[in-house]
């Protein structure tokens, strides 16, 4: 799942400030898991924290949602693989990511709603000074997953493959396969893995044909 690159205030390692930040994140996560995209003020009220304190930790809704999404992504952001082939790496990435995305599906949908709402506001010229919520973690994850293809396919083909893989990795694939097709989370992951493997194999075949 892709998220904002904006940075919220760094978390202290211990003490009252760390506990307050943790409380706010837990409260925001609970609200987002219920399908609600809260403002900083709404999280402050639900957590029984003053608005002034809340805004010191999270100066904007985008910064707050970014922090919540990073917490929800958890092990996905820490994903690394030393597998020597792209098929294994991508399968491992999907196996790591898709169950986590399903677990926090409501949170990620709430974040997606914020992104779409901001897009509409920008189009209407009503966004004002609110920082933009941008998403982009999947770009680096997929570039890392396709790294074993370096030297085997062209740079352009590898980048195109990563872009194509982004269509079968993340929240959006669950929206299509679960909400539209009515698949279970497990079946949706299986379809995503099949599609990802097919894309990799097609890119390799294309490179081999061009070489001949």
């Amino acid at each position: 799942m892709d998220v904002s690159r904006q940075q919220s205030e760094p978390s202290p390692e211990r003490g009252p400030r760390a506990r307050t930040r943790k409380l706010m994140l837990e409260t925001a996560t609970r609200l987002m898991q219920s399908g609600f995209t809260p403002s900083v003020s709404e999280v402050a009220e639900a957590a029984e924290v003053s608005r002034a304190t809340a805004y010191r930790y999270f100066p904007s809704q985008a910064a707050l949602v970014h922090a919540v999404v990073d917490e929800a992504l958890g092990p996905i952001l820490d994903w690394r693989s030393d597998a020597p082939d792209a098929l294994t790496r991508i399968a491992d990435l999907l196996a790591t990511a898709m169950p986590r995305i399903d677990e926090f599906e409501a949170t990620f949908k709430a974040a997606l709603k914020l992104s779409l709402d901001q897009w509409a506001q920008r189009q209407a010229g009503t966004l004002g000074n609110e920082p933009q919520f941008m998403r982009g973690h999947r770009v680096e994850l997929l570039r890392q997953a396709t790294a074993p293809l370096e030297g085997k396919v062209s740079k352009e083909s590898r980048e195109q493959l990563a872009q194509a893989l982004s269509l079968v990795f993340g929240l959006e694939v669950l929206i299509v396969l679960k909400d539209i097709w009515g698949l279970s989370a497990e079946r949706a992951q299986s379809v995503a893995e099949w599609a990802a493997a097919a894309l990799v194999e097609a890119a390799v075949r294309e490179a081999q044909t061009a070489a001949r």
Side-chain angles (χ1 to χ4, degrees), residues 5-6 9-10 15 27 65 75 80 86 89 94 102 118 138 142 150 160 178 188 203 210-211:
R5 295 175 183 268
Q6 298 179 44
E9 181 178 325
T27 302
V65 173
R80 300 289 184 277
R89 284 199 186 190
L94 288 171
D102 180 65
Q118 285 198 341
R138 85 179 71 184
L142 290 171
E150 185 174 1
Q160 179 174 271
K178 290 179 64 179

Side-chain angles (χ1 to χ4, degrees), residues 17 20 161 207 211:
R17 288 174 60 81
T20 300
L161 173 61

Side-chain angles (χ1 to χ4, degrees), residues 35-65:
F36 176 51
T37 310
S39 66
V40 178
S41 295
E42 288 165 336
V43 172
E45 181 178 356
E48 298 183 348
V49 172
S50 73
R51 291 186 181 184
T53 296
Y55 277 100
R56 283 200 294 271
Y57 288 96
F58 304 105
S60 67
Q61 185 183 38
L64 171 66
V65 173

Side-chain angles (χ1 to χ4, degrees), residues 15-174:
R17 288 174 60 81
R19 289 193 293 273
T20 300
R21 187 178 190 276
K22 182 173 183 289
L23 172 62
M24 289 193 63
L25 284 176
E26 289 175 345
T27 302
T29 298
R30 173 171 54 79
L31 293 171
M32 291 177 71
Q33 279 291 82
S34 70
F36 176 51
T37 310
S39 66
V40 178
S41 295
E42 288 165 336
V43 172
E45 181 178 356
E48 298 183 348
V49 172
S50 73
R51 291 186 181 184
T53 296
Y55 277 100
R56 283 200 294 271
Y57 288 96
F58 304 105
S60 67
Q61 185 183 38
L64 171 66
V65 173
H66 166 247
V68 172
V69 168
D70 273 4
E71 288 288 317
L73 287 171
I76 302 174
L77 297 182
D78 297 328
W79 179 83
R80 300 289 184 277
S81 175
D82 295 323
D85 65 285
L87 279 173
T88 302
R89 284 199 186 190
I90 291 166
D92 181 68
L93 174 59
L94 288 171
T96 299
M98 298 309 289
R100 183 79 177 187
I101 294 171
D102 180 65
E103 180 183 358
F104 288 93
E105 181 178 2
T107 289
F108 297 133
K109 282 183 174 178
L112 177 59
K113 180 179 182 297
L114 173 61
S115 179
L116 295 174
D117 286 347
Q118 285 198 341
W119 177 86
Q121 291 167 10
R122 283 197 305 277
Q123 295 298 108
T126 59
L127 184 59
N129 295 323
E130 175 70 16
Q132 184 176 348
F133 179 76
M134 298 179 64
R135 307 181 313 146
H137 283 309
R138 85 179 71 184
V139 173
E140 293 307 319
L141 287 169
L142 290 171
R143 283 175 175 164
Q144 183 187 158
T146 58
L149 293 176
E150 185 174 1
K152 298 178 182 178
V153 304
S154 69
K155 181 179 178 181
E156 294 76 13
S157 293
R158 182 183 157 199
E159 188 75 353
Q160 179 174 271
L161 173 61
Q163 292 164 354
L165 287 169
S166 70
L167 301 176
V168 295
F169 171 64
L171 171 67
E172 292 82 356
V173 71
L174 291 185

